[in-house]
Amino acid sequence: MQLHVIARGKIGRSPEGEMVERYGKRIAWGFKVTELPDRGGQMPPPASGPVRTVALDERGRQLTSTEFARILERWRDDGVREARFLIGAADGHDEALRDSADLLIAFGAMTWPHMLARAMLAEQLWRATSIVAGHPYHREG
């Protein structure tokens, strides 16, 4: 399954960008990042086959890393070809996008910088795929 981060804004050459790249290289499932302008721009076409959409949103569910891993594992096992992770601009996502998402997730009640949220997401995607693979990186409890 392809893990596709679609984010508003340009991360450029930055410590956060380096973290996204570092974790992305570790993900064995396939990892891709698409950047869109803060406003407008066309969403890339989905992969052929089933696609799931996850929006990072302050109203989203707060999942443990293991719960997140199990969701991704179930989607993979169900034949989902692409899981899209949407990170909005400063004003977040509009209601229509939130309503159409398969899952809304939040990284807690605090507000996080969008560039840091990308790095956090990349790490959680790597952590989730590591959990599914039985890798000892994740320590729960």
Side-chain angles (χ1 to χ4, degrees):
M1 178 169 67
Q2 174 86 24
L3 304 174
H4 189 176
V5 176
I6 303 171
R8 295 276 175 191
K10 302 284 184 195
I11 201 166
R13 298 181 60 80
S14 65
E16 298 89 349
E18 290 173 14
M19 289 178 72
V20 170
E21 188 175 321
R22 183 174 354 131
Y23 285 115
K25 286 179 181 177
R26 295 178 183 180
I27 298 171
W29 291 16
F31 179 76
K32 178 179 178 180
V33 176
T34 299
E35 294 183 324
L36 298 174
D38 285 339
R39 297 188 189 281
Q42 291 290 76
M43 192 71 73
S48 59
V51 174
R52 295 292 178 268
T53 302
V54 179
L56 275 68
D57 188 89
E58 62 188 5
R59 299 169 198 96
R61 291 174 54 193
Q62 295 184 41
L63 302 169
T64 67
S65 296
T66 301
E67 289 170 334
F68 184 54
R70 296 302 166 226
I71 290 169
L72 296 181
E73 181 180 37
R74 185 176 68 246
W75 288 351
R76 183 202 62 185
D77 293 350
D78 288 347
V80 171
R81 301 284 304 201
E82 178 183 21
R84 297 176 144 214
F85 299 87
L86 309 180
I87 300 175
D91 294 331
H93 301 293
D94 62 34
E95 190 173 338
L97 189 142
R98 282 192 304 272
D99 290 345
S100 68
D102 296 292
L103 178 64
L104 295 177
I105 60 172
F107 287 146
M110 293 181 175
T111 301
W112 295 96
H114 287 80
M115 299 308 162
L116 188 53
R118 284 191 213 185
M120 292 166 58
L121 175 61
E123 191 281 338
Q124 283 299 302
L125 290 170
W126 183 67
R127 183 179 295 271
T129 58
S130 296
I131 290 169
V132 171
H135 189 280
Y137 174 72
H138 179 69
R139 292 172 188 78
E140 197 163 13

